[in-house]
Amino acid sequence: MPDQLSDPGSSALEASTPPRRSSSERNEPEGSAASETAAPGRRRRMRTDWRLGGTAVRKWDLSVLSAALIGVGLGVVGGGAVSRVAAPWAPIASTVVLWLGLGAAVAFAFVRSRPAGLLRFRPIDVLWGVGLGLGLRLLQGWVSGADAEAFPSAMALDGGLPSGWWLTEAVPAGLVAPLVEEFFFRTVVLIAVYQLLRRSVGGVAAGVTAALVSAGGFVLLHATAGTLTLVDGIQLFAVGGTCALVVLLTGRIWGAVLTHLTYNVSYLVLVVVGTLGAVAPTAPSLG
């Protein structure tokens, strides 16, 4: 959404000849408060990075943050109610209800505006996402002592993966969850908190606060699905904090999505390997 404003009453000569700026104006940072208030007859620069402010990101205000709280609240309550239904489809249906609540808040935010540069993609995002995702999985294994345990498995009674496991477990956890959760926590929550605090406390303090709120909310959301151990809480906070830092440092969301996706998919790979390895025939002993 363009942030560029112009004075419709300016003449053709004025439009073709840019106004001269004083030395103090030329030295003024682009993201400062004064630079965001253009004088009459001047053209405002189009923002290319939401971290510097601008008209679009300013629309992600308390109303967006309130919509996020309402969305996650309705999703948790509605999902919890559906999960109590005695039906085989209840677990996946409760997750879908939760995602709908988060997705509604994301949609509300993007209808209001689109922060500059947030959806831009760079090839380096793939490198960051895969590297950080695998690093977080190794950290989780070290913290939980997984190196002394067998691979996780999802073995059914017939010795293989449960029927429909790819549809009910792999796709939701490996693809949908990273997209929905990252767009909710690392766009709506993170950016709304950041831009609300940036002018009053500065970019660094606003970024730290936004990252903590985003990662903390991420942990609390997963706590609603059941009791979390200390190890679970640490690993979830590490994932949320890392993804928040990716967005704050790059200004883009896709590195965070790929980090989360790689982290989840790496676990699914371990489950498949553990399940197939548990049913693989052993070689006969010789002599």
Side-chain angles (χ1 to χ4, degrees), residues 185-281:
F185 286 106
R186 255 63 72 179
T187 59
V188 177
V189 175
L190 181 78
I191 295 178
V193 173
Y194 177 84
Q195 77 89 20
L196 285 170
L197 298 177
R198 182 179 66 88
R199 288 191 176 186
S200 58
V201 302
V204 174
V208 171
T209 304
L212 292 175
V213 171
S214 171
F218 183 67
V219 175
L220 291 176
L221 177 67
H222 286 79
T224 62
T227 304
L228 289 182
T229 65
L230 177 60
V231 171
D232 294 333
I234 292 174
Q235 73 180 61
L236 287 171
F237 189 84
V239 173
T242 300
C243 292
L245 286 177
V246 169
V247 176
L248 288 169
L249 293 176
T250 66
R252 303 184 298 273
I253 185 58
W254 298 114
V257 171
L258 290 171
T259 298
H260 195 162
L261 187 148
T262 302
Y263 179 80
N264 284 13
V265 168
S266 62
Y267 177 78
L268 296 173
V269 171
L270 294 177
V271 170
V272 173
V273 172
T275 303
L276 298 180
V279 299

Side-chain angles (χ1 to χ4, degrees), residues 86-232:
W89 47 262
I92 186 64
S94 66
T95 303
V96 170
V97 171
L98 172 62
W99 287 340
L100 288 175
L102 304 184
V106 174
F108 175 79
F110 276 94
V111 165
R112 287 179 63 84
S113 67
R114 188 179 68 182
L118 178 65
L119 300 181
R120 188 181 298 119
F121 176 79
R122 294 288 183 267
I124 192 66
D125 295 336
V126 177
L127 181 62
W128 279 112
V130 174
L132 291 173
L134 293 178
L136 287 167
R137 179 54 63 191
L138 291 174
L139 175 65
Q140 182 270 332
W142 176 71
V143 172
S144 62
D147 56 335
E149 300 178 358
F151 280 10
S153 65
M155 191 181 302
L157 295 177
D158 59 358
L161 290 169
S163 176
W165 179 83
W166 292 99
L167 181 61
T168 60
E169 297 290 338
V171 172
L175 180 61
V176 183
L179 278 171
V180 175
E181 292 174 0
E182 290 307 310
F183 268 85
F184 180 80
F185 286 106
R186 255 63 72 179
T187 59
V188 177
V189 175
L190 181 78
I191 295 178
V193 173
Y194 177 84
Q195 77 89 20
L196 285 170
L197 298 177
R198 182 179 66 88
R199 288 191 176 186
S200 58
V201 302
V204 174
V208 171
T209 304
L212 292 175
V213 171
S214 171
F218 183 67
V219 175
L220 291 176
L221 177 67
H222 286 79
T224 62
T227 304
L228 289 182
T229 65
L230 177 60
V231 171
D232 294 333

